[in-house]
Amino acid sequence: DVKVTQSSRYLVKRTGEKVFLECVQDMDHENMFWYRQDPGLGLRLIYFSYDVKMKEKGDIPEGYSVSREKKERFSLILESASTNQTSMYLCASSSRPRYSEQFFGPGTRLTVL
Amino acid sequence: QQQVKQSPQSLIVQKGGISIINCAYENTAFDYFPWYQQFPGKGPALLIAIRPDVSEKKEGRFTISFNKSAKQFSLHIMDSQPGDSATYFCAARGNSGGFKTIFGAGTRLFVKA
């Protein structure tokens, strides 16, 4: 069974803290994605990566960075967490072909106090 | 502006009825239109997808209708069941800009028993 796992289901952090969200996939997928999900806004793409050490900005990259040192792992970093980054964060992966399905992890609900 | 507009925000349907969710897009470069289903506490999962070379795709009780000239597509759930209660996202992916998928805002469907 294909799997995308995220390091935490729930996370509570303080304003200004550096936050790491980890995502691991076991499908040998080339592409990995980070989204945030907010009510009424759907899923918005933060960053994506189509290869190891490669990254591309999505639609809302401000305040975030990413790291992909290994094919199976894609990390999202909040350099200095702010309250407006309280959200559900979803990681996804897909294989290279253009019409391939994205597989999502269960999400991390981050609260920044 | 790459945007996908989804309606309604929420939908209540009687068991056995037809659920209809509509989406509209602007970017004519989009060439892949997936629908994702998300249950509470889970990440979205691909339900059904269509490419614009066909006007309809059916998989079991789920049908996508696609109107290329109007730049609209919709999901029909026939014989809706309480187990279909979930949030549904339409999405669109283009033939440029990497592997970016643009998601609609989501529709919360509740099927009454």
Side-chain angles (χ1 to χ4, degrees):
Chain A
D1 196 21
V2 297
K3 260 225 172 94
V4 178
T5 56
Q6 296 184 228
S7 51
S8 306
R9 294 300 303 269
Y10 300 94
L11 210 51
V12 180
K13 295 291 181 181
R14 297 257 176 222
T15 301
E17 279 192 82
K18 191 169 186 176
V19 182
F20 293 87
L21 302 183
E22 304 284 338
C23 174
V24 178
Q25 51 95 2
D26 65 358
M27 296 165 278
D28 201 35
H29 283 167
E30 292 81 7
N31 307 324
M32 297 189 75
F33 310 82
W34 274 106
Y35 295 89
R36 64 177 280 177
Q37 180 178 4
D38 300 287
L41 296 177
L43 280 67
R44 292 179 293 165
L45 183 64
I46 304 171
Y47 268 96
F48 66 102
S49 168
Y50 50 86
D51 204 347
V52 176
K53 296 191 186 293
M54 305 298 288
K55 61 185 179 184
E56 292 281 343
K57 290 181 180 179
D59 298 315
I60 51 165
E62 297 78 18
Y64 304 94
S65 61
V66 290
S67 172
R68 193 168 181 200
E69 296 296 320
K70 294 185 177 181
K71 190 176 185 181
E72 68 272 16
R73 189 179 297 269
F74 193 33
S75 302
L76 180 69
I77 303 152
L78 286 66
E79 297 290 342
S80 177
S82 63
T83 54
N84 63 13
Q85 292 179 309
T86 292
S87 186
M88 171 69 80
Y89 290 87
L90 290 163
C91 175
S93 71
S94 70
S95 58
R96 180 80 72 199
R98 189 161 129 200
Y99 300 116
S100 58
E101 173 182 353
Q102 288 191 22
F103 292 87
F104 284 84
T108 295
R109 181 162 295 283
L110 172 68
T111 302
V112 182
L113 301 175
Chain B
Q1 176 74 8
Q2 290 193 358
Q3 205 173 14
V4 177
K5 295 184 179 178
Q6 182 172 349
S7 63
Q9 268 191 315
S10 61
L11 184 59
I12 300 174
V13 174
Q14 286 290 138
K15 179 182 175 182
I18 302 173
S19 303
I20 302 173
I21 303 170
N22 300 299
C23 286
Y25 64 97
E26 291 291 327
N27 190 343
T28 54
F30 289 147
D31 66 349
Y32 176 64
F33 301 87
W35 285 86
Y36 283 81
Q37 179 187 54
Q38 184 181 30
F39 292 106
K42 305 283 188 182
L46 181 68
L47 182 65
I48 186 173
I50 196 169
R51 296 183 209 175
D53 51 346
V54 297
S55 60
E56 186 175 281
K57 183 172 181 181
K58 185 175 181 178
E59 289 184 3
R61 296 184 294 109
F62 300 91
T63 300
I64 300 178
S65 297
F66 188 84
N67 186 330
K68 189 174 181 178
S69 60
K71 291 186 282 186
Q72 294 174 347
F73 57 111
S74 59
L75 176 70
H76 295 235
I77 306 174
M78 312 300 287
D79 187 26
S80 299
Q81 299 297 312
D84 297 330
S85 298
T87 300
Y88 293 82
F89 295 96
C90 63
R93 187 185 302 172
N95 55 13
S96 62
F99 299 93
K100 286 178 61 173
T101 299
I102 308 298
F103 286 83
T107 296
R108 293 187 70 175
L109 171 65
F110 180 69
V111 181
K112 291 167 64 173

